[in-house]
Amino acid sequence: MSQPRSVPGAPPAPDAPTLPAHRFYELMRTARLLDDEAVALQRQGVFPAYVSLRGQEAAQVGSAAALDRERDFAFPTYREMAAALTLGVDMVGYMASHRALWHGGTYDPIASRFGSVNAVVGGPVPHAVGWAIGERLRGSGGCALAYFGDGASSEGDVHESMNFAGVFGAPVVFLCQNNQWALSVPLDRQVAGGSVAARAAGYGMPGVRVDGNDVEAVYEATAEALQRARGGGGPSIVEAFTYRAAPHSTSDDTGRYRDPAEERQWRDQDPIDRLGAAMRTAGLADDAFFASVEDRARAEAERIRDAVSAAPEPAPSDMFEHVYREPTEELARQRRAWEQEAL
Amino acid sequence: MSQPRSVPGAPPAPDAPTLPAHRFYELMRTARLLDDEAVALQRQGVFPAYVSLRGQEAAQVGSAAALDRERDFAFPTYREMAAALTLGVDMVGYMASHRALWHGGTYDPIASRFGSVNAVVGGPVPHAVGWAIGERLRGSGGCALAYFGDGASSEGDVHESMNFAGVFGAPVVFLCQNNQWALSVPLDRQVAGGSVAARAAGYGMPGVRVDGNDVEAVYEATAEALQRARGGGGPSIVEAFTYRAAPHSTSDDTGRYRDPAEERQWRDQDPIDRLGAAMRTAGLADDAFFASVEDRARAEAERIRDAVSAAPEPAPSDMFEHVYREPTEELARQRRAWEQEAL
Amino acid sequence: MTELALRPDPEERREGPAAPPTPVSMQQAINLALARALEEDDTTLVFGEDVGPLGGVFRVTDGLQRRFGDHRVFDTPLAESAIVGVAVGLAMNGWRPVPELQFDGFAYPAVDQIVNQMARMHYRTRGAAPMPITLRLPSFGGIQAPEHHGESLEALFAHVPGLKVVVPADPGEAYRLLLQSVRADDPVVFMEPKARYWDRAPIGATEPADPIGTARVVRPGRHATLIAWGSMVHRCLQVAELAAEDGVHLEVLDLRWLKPIDTATLAESVRRTRRAVVVHEAPLTAGLGGEVAALVGEHAFSSLAAPVERVAGYDVPYPAGPLERQYLPSVDRILFAVQRTLEFQRA
Amino acid sequence: MTELALRPDPEERREGPAAPPTPVSMQQAINLALARALEEDDTTLVFGEDVGPLGGVFRVTDGLQRRFGDHRVFDTPLAESAIVGVAVGLAMNGWRPVPELQFDGFAYPAVDQIVNQMARMHYRTRGAAPMPITLRLPSFGGIQAPEHHGESLEALFAHVPGLKVVVPADPGEAYRLLLQSVRADDPVVFMEPKARYWDRAPIGATEPADPIGTARVVRPGRHATLIAWGSMVHRCLQVAELAAEDGVHLEVLDLRWLKPIDTATLAESVRRTRRAVVVHEAPLTAGLGGEVAALVGEHAFSSLAAPVERVAGYDVPYPAGPLERQYLPSVDRILFAVQRTLEFQRA
Ligand SMILES: Cc1ncc(C[n+]2csc(CCOP(=O)(O)OP(=O)(O)O)c2C)c(N)n1
Ligand SMILES: Cc1ncc(C[n+]2csc(CCOP(=O)(O)OP(=O)(O)O)c2C)c(N)n1
Ligand SMILES: [Mg+2]
Ligand SMILES: [Mg+2]
């Protein structure tokens, strides 16, 4: 098992091991436990709905860990919880989006260098390009990373973004998590040609498909793309080939459209189990390691679960906040009317 | 010079020669003279504006001639006058669009199997895909051909269309006239990677770039793509690499953005001159041929010019026609009000 | 590249529509209408994101692919603009497309194809190109959904020449209006109020539909007219019920066709009641309530005893779950407006 | 892949804006405002299709790239949705983008990025993401242009929470309102009336702008208020001129900010004149005239002596050249409406 050069992800907890694989493992395991907690919260009626990232932990942790948190900026969709975790985003604020406390979440996306949760498939991808062009103009050396799915690759915005970035040589990495399903539509009915990475050549940029369940492979590919972008080499596509192990969301019913055998087959490819086994084989981890990770991960998942469950609902008047920076009299009037009629 | 197998374009005039090259030459020459007439009509104030296709005659005649006029359907942009001519569209009705008598022109696009003039860059491309899917469902064996430019290739709609067609295996040919300019923006600031045909691989479909000023090469490439589509082989991209020899439109000023030397250089590549010279060399045409073509082409261009100039303006009340098939009372009311106030 | 290979099971095809259970949900009513449309006209096609094996995120197309085959009912790539653009091309080739866009907020990427192409193709071609498209759009709020899943685009569509726009308020209406829209030869935007998908009622499948562009009085009254569409019809009925307890008799008008609007019925009602309150979920400013107020002003000016009241969403982006209740017109807010209109005194 | 290599010529950079010739065209006034915005704030960026060497199809950005360099003023690929999306990303990274969409009818492909992203990003991020974008949009008809080159999208934009929308009517207004929009920290859709690009007037470059959201009375009068924006302000002034000859004194109100609307000025005027005619180019149904009529009804009901008249485009797709004159509100049609409002008798 090769070791990445460095992992500029979240600073390790004081008592955490320091090898990248150890960090990856702990992040993935924490994400998994938190994901499980979130599914449970939905069942308990605390979350109205939740989109699980189960199976995609390696794709998210590996890619996010490659970012420089001082300079780079990630643009997520609605399924990048493990990426948020890796980047040190306030996870209670992140989960607030799933509790429907505020659509974008309640963390500060600018300070976190991790955009708000965004539900428009493909919609945030051009933002990454604009951010990257701006960074390049300023010469500050940061890179943007745009997360999107196999389904999103069908949207016009994703194409416009790739072409735009190619023309400008913008420092952006298009990180496709190809989990082989876009809700109920399988890859072969979604992506003509079957590969998002293969689109790169048509834009004159490098594109690579990596095993998305191999966290180090994803890390390496993303780091390479970022390094190239940072050096003025322009954009690239990294396609992490993985599998959406859970239903699309807690409202979904996979029984209607996919074969449970496929799910079982991919269960053997679980990215966390794979890394764990490889670490054992390589002598990088023993029972004590796994036990201590488990303790910390569980504590963290439970802390976040409890905090998001306990988070106060937004004040009703929050509805009128942040519509504008420079408020309008008309909106103030509506707010006064609301105060009289609704409070 | 190789000869295409057959040219199912407009039936030859009674006294016209019958070899494909002869037909191509005459169509291109007619298109050129009609184009010149149209530019003149704009100068005279008969047309409010005109978009010349000068330099692209081979790309249009060659591609349109490959279509089966009984079964296929072409979707043009605003610059496909020579394609319309080749397909036997009522050219007075076509030119009516440029005289601003009716936006889409006054020919019948369904009967002509040639869509209305469409000014939205990229907009008609998904129509071709839909038409082709419908044709395939019916099993009638027709193919759709979508014209678009290098600039259009940047639009989301073009990508969504290519991917959609790829997924459905739709019988459609994406015919890009890459004339190296999108208004004032040159190819290298428009198309990342530089080639539209190169995008095809990313959709798992064949793509080919041909010399767009070689009418027979364009014909061959289009015919091959159509044959494949008709046989169930799905969509392809044909990129005819050519040059917009004239300004973008009669309102344009190329002096602001491109080097006259480039224009001069491409003048030597004029597709009509090239075919004429090749025909002479091959012994397929002599002075008498060129003289007789010239006579017929001029007569045809002048006939169309005179007819479109003399065409009646639309009746003001036409504004209220065709908004719906099943008219609404509200619109009838507005029409009555208009009759009282405006007539 | 995959093929449209799956053909309908001929056994299932023969069956015909299941006898409508009584009562049925709006979801099922739309499903039954789609099945009937697919059955009665071989050129009808149903497609969109996840409408096939999944049966749509609201199960509205449940079972249709199995019954009619995946050449008649099919999933598309995730590309709203192309979905509408493909529908336009299919229509030009003689088909009768019934595309679905999955959620209201995801209709925005298709606005160009809707406005510049679907709505204008018949005009542009001087009537040569048929354009009998019914664009189904699960719409409006009330289900505490994530962002973009609770939008009200009716004002946008109602402004576009060449479109017709309709919103059913109950299962029977949904059944009749959808069949009518599919059979119509003009493009119709069919906005389904998500919050009512689970309402159950007998659908009266054999009742004839009223003409396109007609509103309906769902509760007669004499003191003021409440004008609404979709879910807000129900809210207005609740309000009318409450007001009746106080002896105030409110007429509730389900406008339903938002383009063309039934000005005659609207004007007749308000001329009689002399007071009007229009209620919608969309933000107040430049919402369709302005159009309704203007029409009332134009056609019932002399009868009007008070300004037309508008009760609408606030001019804020659609808020998250717990705030939705505050955002949507509530019974209380409508009652306040009724009170204002009843108590109005000319200055 | 090409680079943003060209840097501004330092000589030219030092010059500052050319002293505005008096009078200047609206085109030039906008150019001067853009130059000033680029000069006073290094984070301002101007981009769009053909805005660089060509200087825009209306020459509005003429010379700006040469003067400020192609890192500040640059051409984009032909992709409207990405143009707005890139502006959103630039704004998130601390820039002040001034993107142009080439023509009104080509704003439709960008509607998703405008509505779902640009207008909501500040809200979605609870104020964390600045969004000081000014989206320039050559708008409206009157130049007998090809299809899609003469649209009126103001009702669509005015309906979107989070946006501000403004339309200048003359060169001085264009100069001041554009600078104000660029300096403002909220997204503004700046709709430029193409038909007035060539109007010349002194621009009063040092005059302060009125606050955002204020209308202006361009001609006082007492018999009725004409309410308009953009080109229609001029048409209304013509009408007022003609009416004055008959002793009818019309007030002309340039609404100019269509979001937020200056309800106070509007109401004050109509309370005084007791009659209102709203004029716009967009199709009648669900146009912004409905909003204006509703506001007048709400705020001046007791003063109103007649229904608010609406003179608008018809509910048809924008017609070709020779029909445009028939389509746009004409002096005659506005005069008819004035006559109706003056002669109105309560039933
Ligand atoms: C523009 C848009 N259209 C439709 C939807 C509804 N929708 C939400 S997720 C989804 C599937 C997305 O698939 P993919 O991009 O592969 O991401 P994944 O869910 O697999 O992570 C769909 C259709 C949406 N959110 N946005
Ligand atoms: C959606 C859209 N955006 C912008 C325009 C304005 N416009 C008209 S033609 C043109 C350039 C098109 O370039 P290309 O696709 O290469 O075709 P060409 O004009 O070279 O034939 C532009 C920007 C338009 N018509 N449609
Ligand atoms: Mg996916
Ligand atoms: Mg071109």
Side-chain angles (χ1 to χ4, degrees):
Chain A
M1 202 174 73
S2 73
Q3 286 297 312
R5 289 171 296 277
S6 79
V7 182
D15 56 346
T18 48
L19 274 182
H22 294 131
R23 284 277 308 136
F24 290 156
Y25 186 85
E26 181 156 349
L27 284 164
M28 293 201 288
R29 203 50 211 147
T30 308
R32 174 67 57 88
L33 291 175
L34 182 53
D35 198 66
D36 289 345
E37 293 291 354
V39 172
L41 286 178
Q42 192 277 332
R43 300 234 165 88
Q44 294 155 27
V46 179
F47 287 3
Y50 178 68
V51 279
S52 167
L53 66 103
R54 176 176 279 261
Q56 300 176 217
E57 292 85 354
Q60 296 188 15
V61 169
S63 55
L67 290 165
D68 178 345
R69 291 206 299 153
E70 301 299 315
R71 302 195 285 179
D72 298 338
F73 202 109
F75 290 81
T77 72
Y78 43 83
R79 205 190 287 285
E80 270 69 63
M81 185 266 272
L85 186 77
T86 305
L87 288 168
V89 172
D90 159 27
M91 293 308 289
V92 179
Y94 180 89
M95 282 298 182
S97 167
H98 295 295
R99 223 193 105 198
L101 297 180
W102 197 260
H103 285 315
T106 57
Y107 58 100
D108 179 333
I110 302 296
S112 314
R113 308 187 80 77
F114 185 84
S116 288
V117 171
N118 202 311
V120 184
V121 167
V125 179
H127 308 167
V129 177
W131 192 95
I133 290 174
E135 193 69 3
R136 175 78 166 286
L137 284 173
R138 198 188 288 114
S140 355
C143 296
L145 186 143
Y147 284 107
F148 64 103
D150 44 304
S153 75
S154 299
E155 290 279 4
D157 268 10
V158 171
H159 159 72
E160 293 190 7
S161 300
M162 289 178 177
N163 182 58
F164 212 113
V167 164
F168 281 83
V172 56
V173 176
F174 297 100
L175 198 299
C176 178
Q177 288 172 74
N178 182 342
N179 62 10
Q180 304 183 62
W181 289 93
L183 224 173
S184 74
V185 178
L187 187 57
D188 70 330
R189 299 294 308 162
Q190 183 71 250
V191 179
S195 161
V196 176
R199 303 266 163 92
Y203 301 110
M205 62 176 75
V208 59
R209 178 186 273 191
V210 292
D211 179 345
N213 286 14
D214 177 344
V215 65
E216 294 178 337
V218 175
Y219 174 87
E220 289 293 345
T222 313
E224 193 182 314
L226 286 166
Q227 197 180 15
R228 180 169 46 240
R230 227 182 288 286
S236 17
I237 301 178
V238 175
E239 180 181 16
F241 195 76
T242 178
Y243 189 72
R244 196 196 73 210
H248 173 72
S249 78
T250 47
S251 328
D252 187 27
D253 174 6
T254 54
R256 287 172 165 263
Y257 58 81
R258 76 182 186 187
D259 186 349
E262 181 186 283
E263 293 178 27
R264 278 194 301 277
Q265 188 187 319
W266 277 90
R267 214 166 290 151
D268 299 339
Q269 300 294 322
D270 184 88
I272 309 181
D273 295 348
R274 267 175 63 179
L275 178 63
M279 289 174 76
R280 256 191 220 277
T281 310
L284 290 174
D286 55 12
D287 286 350
F289 167 78
F290 290 114
S292 79
V293 165
E294 211 59 19
D295 285 349
R296 284 193 302 273
R298 187 165 303 282
E300 179 66 356
E302 288 172 359
R303 178 190 71 78
I304 296 164
R305 174 200 66 194
D306 293 344
V308 73
S309 305
E313 290 211 345
S317 64
D318 283 5
M319 175 170 66
F320 294 100
E321 300 287 345
H322 309 303
V323 182
Y324 298 105
R325 281 228 166 154
E326 298 164 1
T328 67
E329 176 46 37
E330 169 60 17
L331 200 53
R333 188 197 65 71
Q334 292 186 18
R335 183 176 177 154
R336 287 192 300 273
W338 166 81
E339 280 163 2
Q340 280 162 22
E341 298 182 352
L343 280 187
Chain B
M1 201 175 71
S2 71
Q3 286 296 315
R5 287 170 299 276
S6 78
V7 181
D15 56 345
T18 49
L19 273 182
H22 293 132
R23 285 277 309 137
F24 289 156
Y25 186 85
E26 182 157 347
L27 284 163
M28 292 202 289
R29 202 50 212 147
T30 308
R32 175 66 57 87
L33 291 175
L34 183 53
D35 198 66
D36 290 345
E37 293 291 355
V39 172
L41 286 177
Q42 191 278 332
R43 299 235 166 87
Q44 293 155 28
V46 179
F47 286 4
Y50 178 69
V51 280
S52 167
L53 66 103
R54 175 177 280 260
Q56 301 176 217
E57 293 85 355
Q60 295 189 16
V61 170
S63 55
L67 291 166
D68 178 345
R69 291 208 296 152
E70 302 299 313
R71 302 194 284 179
D72 298 339
F73 201 108
F75 290 80
T77 73
Y78 44 84
R79 206 190 286 287
E80 269 69 63
M81 184 267 271
L85 186 76
T86 304
L87 288 169
V89 171
D90 158 27
M91 293 308 291
V92 179
Y94 180 90
M95 284 296 183
S97 167
H98 295 295
R99 224 194 104 197
L101 298 180
W102 197 261
H103 285 314
T106 58
Y107 58 100
D108 179 334
I110 303 295
S112 314
R113 307 188 80 77
F114 185 84
S116 289
V117 171
N118 201 310
V120 184
V121 167
V125 179
H127 308 168
V129 177
W131 193 95
I133 289 174
E135 193 70 2
R136 175 76 168 286
L137 284 174
R138 197 187 288 113
S140 358
C143 295
L145 186 144
Y147 284 107
F148 64 103
D150 43 304
S153 75
S154 299
E155 289 280 3
D157 269 10
V158 171
H159 159 72
E160 293 191 7
S161 300
M162 288 178 177
N163 182 58
F164 212 113
V167 165
F168 281 82
V172 55
V173 176
F174 297 100
L175 199 298
C176 178
Q177 288 172 75
N178 182 343
N179 62 9
Q180 304 183 60
W181 288 92
L183 224 173
S184 73
V185 177
L187 187 58
D188 70 329
R189 299 293 308 161
Q190 184 70 252
V191 179
S195 160
V196 177
R199 303 264 164 94
Y203 301 110
M205 62 176 77
V208 60
R209 178 186 273 190
V210 291
D211 179 345
N213 286 14
D214 177 343
V215 65
E216 293 176 339
V218 175
Y219 175 87
E220 289 293 345
T222 313
E224 193 182 313
L226 286 166
Q227 198 180 13
R228 181 170 42 242
R230 225 182 289 285
S236 18
I237 301 179
V238 175
E239 179 180 16
F241 196 75
T242 178
Y243 189 72
R244 196 196 72 211
H248 172 72
S249 77
T250 47
S251 329
D252 186 26
D253 174 6
T254 54
R256 287 172 165 262
Y257 59 80
R258 76 183 186 186
D259 187 349
E262 181 186 283
E263 294 179 24
R264 278 194 300 276
Q265 188 188 318
W266 277 90
R267 215 167 289 152
D268 299 338
Q269 299 295 320
D270 184 88
I272 309 181
D273 295 349
R274 266 175 62 180
L275 178 63
M279 288 174 78
R280 257 191 219 278
T281 309
L284 291 174
D286 55 13
D287 286 352
F289 167 77
F290 290 115
S292 78
V293 165
E294 211 59 19
D295 285 349
R296 283 193 303 273
R298 189 165 303 281
E300 178 65 355
E302 289 172 359
R303 177 189 73 78
I304 297 164
R305 174 200 65 196
D306 294 344
V308 73
S309 305
E313 290 209 345
S317 63
D318 283 4
M319 175 170 66
F320 293 100
E321 301 286 345
H322 310 303
V323 182
Y324 298 106
R325 284 229 162 151
E326 298 163 3
T328 67
E329 176 46 36
E330 169 60 18
L331 200 52
R333 188 197 65 73
Q334 292 186 19
R335 183 176 175 154
R336 287 192 300 273
W338 166 81
E339 278 163 2
Q340 280 162 24
E341 297 181 354
L343 280 188
Chain C
M1 190 164 70
T2 52
E3 307 288 311
L4 292 165
L6 223 156
R7 293 276 143 176
D9 177 339
E11 283 314 304
E12 288 213 60
R13 185 85 167 81
R14 220 171 291 140
E15 267 172 39
T22 307
V24 303
S25 67
M26 182 184 286
Q27 214 178 8
Q28 290 171 307
I30 297 173
N31 183 279
L32 288 167
L34 288 171
R36 183 149 162 208
L38 283 159
E39 215 175 19
E40 70 182 20
D41 182 346
D42 277 349
T43 67
T44 302
L45 301 175
V46 169
F47 54 94
E49 295 160 10
D50 308 293
V51 301
L54 183 66
V57 291
F58 293 104
R59 305 295 180 266
V60 164
T61 54
D62 191 27
L64 296 179
Q65 185 176 70
R66 212 168 347 106
R67 188 156 148 226
F68 294 96
D70 70 357
H71 61 305
R72 304 280 309 281
V73 179
F74 51 87
D75 284 337
T76 64
L78 215 174
E80 290 77 12
S81 187
I83 289 171
V84 177
V86 160
V88 169
L90 282 164
M92 290 178 74
N93 202 351
W95 298 87
R96 188 168 289 272
V98 189
E100 168 182 304
L101 298 179
Q102 196 161 81
F103 281 96
D104 31 32
F106 309 131
Y108 292 115
V111 162
D112 177 56
Q113 285 291 336
I114 295 171
V115 175
N116 276 339
Q117 305 294 349
M118 180 174 92
R120 297 189 190 178
M121 193 57 86
H122 188 260
Y123 195 74
R124 183 180 299 138
T125 63
R126 297 164 68 90
M131 209 48 40
I133 299 172
T134 299
L135 183 63
R136 290 185 41 248
L137 191 61
S139 291
F140 310 112
I143 62 165
Q144 300 212 11
E147 195 176 3
H148 313 290
H149 295 66
E151 303 276 309
S152 302
L153 284 83
E154 71 270 30
L156 193 170
F157 295 132
H159 193 37
V160 178
L163 294 184
K164 294 178 178 175
V165 184
V166 66
V167 186
D170 66 38
E173 283 283 290
Y175 182 84
R176 284 184 298 277
L177 291 169
L178 181 55
L179 260 181
Q180 184 174 34
S181 299
V182 175
R183 289 170 181 161
D185 282 338
D186 291 305
V188 177
V189 181
F190 189 85
M191 304 177 75
E192 303 171 4
K194 292 185 281 277
R196 318 271 19 138
Y197 270 143
W198 299 276
D199 286 5
R200 301 180 80 83
I203 59 168
T206 53
E207 276 175 40
D210 299 322
I212 285 177
T214 53
R216 62 179 189 138
V217 174
V218 287
R219 178 183 173 118
R222 64 180 189 277
H223 294 124
T225 304
L226 304 185
I227 301 138
W229 46 92
S231 275
M232 290 298 115
V233 172
H234 299 256
R235 193 136 301 173
C236 288
L237 286 170
Q238 286 176 280
V239 166
E241 201 69 51
L242 288 169
E245 293 172 15
D246 294 335
V248 174
H249 298 291
L250 300 173
E251 179 145 313
V252 179
L253 188 70
D254 175 6
L255 204 55
R256 92 185 152 178
W257 284 96
L258 305 184
K259 190 179 192 77
I261 290 177
D262 184 352
T263 310
T265 301
L266 179 64
E268 188 282 321
S269 173
V270 181
R271 274 191 222 114
R272 212 169 1 86
T273 64
R274 308 188 57 221
R275 293 171 167 88
V277 179
V278 54
V279 181
H280 60 68
E281 302 186 22
L284 176 72
T285 297
L288 210 59
E291 179 65 29
V292 170
L295 287 172
V296 167
E298 283 158 18
H299 296 274
F301 186 81
S302 302
S303 318
L304 263 187
V308 178
E309 289 284 337
R310 292 188 285 168
V311 183
Y314 298 106
D315 287 347
V316 306
Y318 206 96
L323 301 179
E324 187 183 61
R325 236 184 33 240
Q326 301 285 336
Y327 171 82
L328 291 175
S330 62
V331 166
D332 279 355
R333 284 178 62 206
I334 302 170
L335 280 169
F336 271 114
V338 168
Q339 193 181 340
R340 278 195 301 275
T341 190
L342 293 174
E343 292 176 355
F344 183 81
Q345 304 281 357
R346 281 182 184 276
Chain D
M1 188 163 73
T2 53
E3 307 290 312
L4 292 165
L6 224 156
R7 293 276 144 177
D9 177 338
E11 284 313 305
E12 288 212 62
R13 184 86 169 83
R14 219 171 292 138
E15 266 172 40
T22 308
V24 303
S25 67
M26 182 185 285
Q27 216 176 8
Q28 291 170 308
I30 298 172
N31 183 279
L32 288 166
L34 288 171
R36 182 148 163 210
L38 283 159
E39 215 175 20
E40 71 182 22
D41 182 345
D42 277 349
T43 67
T44 302
L45 302 175
V46 169
F47 53 96
E49 296 160 12
D50 308 292
V51 301
L54 182 67
V57 290
F58 293 104
R59 306 294 180 266
V60 163
T61 55
D62 191 27
L64 295 179
Q65 185 177 71
R66 214 169 343 106
R67 189 154 148 228
F68 295 96
D70 70 357
H71 60 305
R72 304 281 308 281
V73 179
F74 50 87
D75 285 336
T76 65
L78 215 175
E80 289 77 12
S81 187
I83 290 170
V84 177
V86 160
V88 169
L90 282 163
M92 289 178 74
N93 202 350
W95 297 86
R96 189 169 288 272
V98 190
E100 168 182 305
L101 297 180
Q102 196 162 80
F103 281 95
D104 32 31
F106 309 131
Y108 293 115
V111 163
D112 177 57
Q113 285 291 337
I114 295 171
V115 175
N116 276 339
Q117 305 294 348
M118 181 174 92
R120 297 189 191 178
M121 192 57 86
H122 188 259
Y123 194 75
R124 182 180 299 138
T125 63
R126 297 165 66 92
M131 209 48 40
I133 300 172
T134 299
L135 182 63
R136 291 185 41 248
L137 191 60
S139 291
F140 310 113
I143 62 165
Q144 302 212 8
E147 195 176 2
H148 314 291
H149 294 67
E151 303 276 309
S152 301
L153 285 83
E154 71 271 29
L156 193 170
F157 295 132
H159 192 38
V160 178
L163 294 185
K164 294 177 178 174
V165 183
V166 65
V167 186
D170 67 38
E173 283 281 292
Y175 182 85
R176 284 184 298 276
L177 291 169
L178 181 55
L179 260 180
Q180 186 174 32
S181 300
V182 176
R183 289 170 182 162
D185 283 337
D186 292 305
V188 177
V189 180
F190 189 85
M191 303 177 76
E192 302 172 4
K194 292 186 283 275
R196 319 283 357 151
Y197 270 144
W198 299 275
D199 286 6
R200 302 179 79 82
I203 59 167
T206 54
E207 277 175 41
D210 299 322
I212 284 177
T214 52
R216 61 179 189 137
V217 174
V218 288
R219 178 183 173 119
R222 64 179 189 278
H223 293 124
T225 303
L226 305 185
I227 301 137
W229 46 91
S231 275
M232 290 298 115
V233 172
H234 299 257
R235 192 136 301 174
C236 288
L237 286 170
Q238 286 176 279
V239 167
E241 202 70 51
L242 288 170
E245 292 171 16
D246 294 335
V248 174
H249 298 291
L250 300 173
E251 179 145 313
V252 179
L253 188 70
D254 175 6
L255 205 57
R256 95 187 148 176
W257 285 97
L258 304 185
K259 189 178 193 79
I261 290 177
D262 184 351
T263 310
T265 302
L266 178 64
E268 186 283 320
S269 174
V270 182
R271 274 190 223 115
R272 215 172 355 89
T273 63
R274 308 189 55 223
R275 293 170 168 88
V277 178
V278 53
V279 181
H280 60 67
E281 302 187 23
L284 176 73
T285 296
L288 210 59
E291 179 65 29
V292 170
L295 288 172
V296 167
E298 283 157 17
H299 295 274
F301 185 82
S302 302
S303 318
L304 264 186
V308 178
E309 290 284 337
R310 293 188 285 169
V311 184
Y314 298 106
D315 285 349
V316 306
Y318 207 95
L323 301 178
E324 186 183 61
R325 237 183 34 241
Q326 300 285 337
Y327 171 81
L328 291 175
S330 62
V331 166
D332 279 356
R333 284 178 62 206
I334 303 170
L335 281 169
F336 272 115
V338 168
Q339 194 182 338
R340 277 195 301 273
T341 190
L342 293 175
E343 292 175 355
F344 182 82
Q345 303 283 356
R346 279 181 186 275

